Amino acid sequence: IYATWLSGSSGASPLALLVDAAGEVIVGGGTQSLDYPATIGAYQPVSYATSPPSQNPPLLQSQSPVIPVTGYITKLNSTGTGLIFSTFLGGSSQDVVTSLALDAAGRIYIGGVSSSPDFPGLDVVPSGCRPSYIYPVPFVTRMSEDGSSLTRTQLAFGLTTATALGFFPAFIYELTAVDGQGNAWTQAGNALGFMDLFAPAENLTCTADAADLAPLTSVAPGQLL
């Protein structure tokens, strides 16, 4: 029916796709293209991915710095002839969108993995609990139907199974679905978590190891936290 290019000068990887009731296509993924097409009025019209990993392999130390992968969300009209909206979604380090879902109001639930401590929507998260290149964390957030605003982002610490590996984090591809009450169910690896984006922020955000601040999914008796 139609075919179209959707990329920038450094490529783009689509990792999630859905079609709404009007036949409009929403695509999410990751890109290193600073010129990936973004629209005026979108939530994040420019890429903030400017901090490549410091753990570069020795063979790559002399090469040009690599632009980190950042997430994106793009919505095309039903005929594929234009963008309804297109936005980056990420912070200064590496982030990727791996899952999309719609609720009854047309809001877009976004799942993925972040290694950016300044990822959007983390204003209430203490610095010690934020993602990093060493400890990327799965996330779920919710975008308005027109792509102009974002809710508070929730981090799925219980699903934290991604670790740094070589030059790029070994991202765990996350899947997110929405139930009839607008809650997000998120799966990463062999773990399943429940995410309520409407709930108030909890006093306890995460539990971290006292030695290296690694986010923990389980605690041993006598362990320092």
Side-chain angles (χ1 to χ4, degrees):
I1 298 175
Y2 73 78
T4 182
W5 298 102
L6 184 61
S7 187
S9 58
S10 296
S13 297
L15 300 173
L17 181 146
L18 58 81
V19 183
D20 65 15
E24 298 163 343
V25 175
I26 305 173
V27 183
T31 181
Q32 292 176 289
S33 299
L34 298 179
D35 58 354
Y36 181 85
T39 55
I40 298 174
Y43 175 73
Q44 186 181 328
V46 297
S47 173
Y48 300 142
T50 57
S51 301
S54 59
Q55 296 86 355
N56 286 2
L59 293 178
L60 297 178
Q61 293 286 355
S62 61
Q63 297 183 8
S64 300
V66 174
I67 299 173
V69 174
T70 193
Y72 69 85
I73 307 291
T74 299
K75 186 174 184 179
L76 296 89
N77 62 25
S78 59
T79 59
T81 58
L83 302 178
I84 297 176
F85 75 82
S86 186
T87 180
F88 291 98
L89 184 63
S92 57
S93 190
Q94 299 199 108
D95 309 295
V96 66
V97 172
T98 62
S99 184
L100 298 171
L102 289 176
D103 66 10
R107 293 168 295 202
I108 306 167
Y109 284 68
I110 304 165
V113 181
S114 173
S115 62
S116 295
D118 53 357
F119 188 86
L122 297 182
D123 300 357
V124 300
V125 178
S127 59
C129 293
R130 296 191 178 195
S132 67
Y133 176 72
I134 301 298
Y135 301 113
V137 182
F139 70 84
V140 176
T141 191
R142 186 168 55 99
M143 182 171 285
S144 61
E145 184 180 6
D146 62 359
S148 64
S149 62
L150 200 73
T151 65
R152 176 171 56 92
T153 296
Q154 287 201 1
L155 299 174
F157 294 101
L159 308 181
T160 304
T161 53
T163 58
L165 179 64
F167 193 51
F168 295 108
F171 285 133
I172 300 298
Y173 286 93
E174 176 189 344
L175 298 175
T176 298
V178 182
D179 64 20
Q181 288 72 47
N183 299 310
W185 290 84
T186 303
Q187 176 266 333
N190 60 356
L192 179 67
F194 172 79
M195 310 286 288
D196 181 2
L197 298 186
F198 298 97
E202 298 181 356
N203 292 328
L204 176 63
T205 303
C206 74
T207 306
D209 183 83
D212 58 3
L213 294 181
L216 300 175
T217 58
S218 60
V219 177
Q223 185 176 1
L224 294 177
L225 308 174

